[in-house]
Amino acid sequence: TEKQEPIAAENQATTVRDSVVLIEEPPFGGEATPCYMIPRGKVIAVGGSYLEGDEECSIRQSERKRVIGNAQIMGIDTDKSEPVSEWVGFRPYRPTSRLEVDEGVSSSSGVKVVHSYGYGGSGWTVFVGAAREAASLI
């Protein structure tokens, strides 16, 4: 697998690595090793990991075993449901969220640039409120 360059765009940002295994099963629906399921049609994405600074492009055998164990914990019969795909994903990470107008760009161009990112695993939870707050800054 070809290694991609980290996409961190500022000094405070770094890369966070995530591992996912897809398990065939009807949809359902820890800090260091989060356990989650995301139904995606005929498959369920089961994860995960939160490995700051880890740039390994493939899922390690120990991670695969743990993530499949997560699937079992959440009720997926892994004896009957084989993994159909797996991948590692990388996303930017920063220690705090950012939701503000970029005054340096906005004042010089006349166009407001609003930054809204850095929510980590809470992004799924806070996206509506963050979007509303960002819209209020325009």
Side-chain angles (χ1 to χ4, degrees):
T1 305
E2 182 179 327
K3 180 180 175 185
Q4 296 182 357
E5 292 298 315
I7 59 174
E10 65 180 71
N11 293 340
Q12 293 182 346
T14 184
T15 301
V16 175
R17 183 175 176 277
D18 188 23
S19 302
V20 177
V21 175
L22 289 180
I23 305 287
E24 287 184 319
E25 183 73 15
F28 286 85
E31 287 295 323
T33 54
C35 179
Y36 62 83
M37 293 190 303
I38 303 170
R40 300 182 75 185
K42 295 181 180 183
V43 295
I44 299 173
V46 180
S49 60
Y50 185 87
L51 305 171
E52 187 175 338
D54 187 332
E55 296 183 11
E56 175 61 41
C57 292
S58 300
I59 294 180
R60 296 176 183 94
Q61 181 60 31
S62 61
E63 292 172 306
R64 183 181 296 106
K65 183 177 179 179
R66 182 181 46 76
V67 171
I68 291 173
N70 287 350
Q72 292 170 333
I73 289 167
M74 293 184 286
I76 296 174
D77 186 346
T78 56
D79 291 331
K80 295 180 182 175
S81 302
E82 291 294 318
V84 295
S85 181
E86 63 182 42
W87 67 86
V88 168
F90 297 92
R91 63 185 184 274
Y93 165 80
R94 63 193 318 266
T96 60
S97 61
R98 181 177 184 193
L99 179 53
E100 63 186 357
V101 174
D102 188 330
E103 297 296 343
V105 175
S106 299
S107 61
S108 63
S109 68
V111 175
K112 281 192 176 180
V113 174
V114 177
H115 296 277
S116 179
Y117 55 85
Y119 304 107
S122 298
W124 290 76
T125 305
V126 302
F127 76 93
V128 172
R132 286 182 178 151
E133 180 65 22
S136 77
L137 298 175
I138 296 177

